[in-house]
Amino acid sequence: MFHLLVSSQGWPDSGGSMSNSRIYIRPNEGPGSSFYTNGKLDISQVSKIPALLVTEPRGNGPQFAKVAYITNITQGVKETAIQYAIDSSIAPISNNDLEGYAI
């Protein structure tokens, strides 16, 4: 299982942000509810699962997905800032290959 983080601009090396409207983990629905404490994303729970950082297929960033481990989350009113460490021991996978796995 992975958190899937998708951006049209790609993901910087150690952190980025995304609109809260793109967070599909819901505090009142399983299994997403296990990632929340008191209505906020809980880093101790979120960090248990690695993230797959992906640029949208027609986006402006690199067309390769990378595995990362989320180290911090700061939820704002409109955006959530996410800090992470990219796992350099896992080779990036091209978006084309990744799309093929979905089938």
Side-chain angles (χ1 to χ4, degrees), residues 2-87:
F2 289 91
H3 295 291
L4 178 62
L5 303 180
V6 181
S7 169
S8 64
Q9 303 298 316
W11 292 96
D13 286 339
S14 62
S17 64
M18 62 190 313
S19 170
N20 289 342
S21 67
R22 294 189 69 148
I23 297 176
Y24 300 106
I25 301 172
R26 302 290 180 231
N28 55 352
E29 298 174 8
S33 59
S34 65
F35 297 111
Y36 283 84
T37 299
N38 298 323
K40 290 208 173 248
L41 286 170
D42 183 339
I43 188 60
S44 68
Q45 298 303 318
V46 171
S47 64
K48 291 179 180 179
I49 298 174
L52 192 59
L53 308 176
V54 181
T55 302
E56 291 179 4
R58 291 175 197 80
N60 297 327
Q63 295 294 299
F64 287 88
K66 296 179 181 180
V67 174
Y69 296 91
I70 298 172
T71 58
N72 194 32
I73 298 171
T74 305
Q75 286 186 279
V77 175
K78 293 184 180 184
E79 289 197 342
T80 296
I82 303 165
Q83 300 298 310
Y84 47 79
I86 294 174
D87 189 336

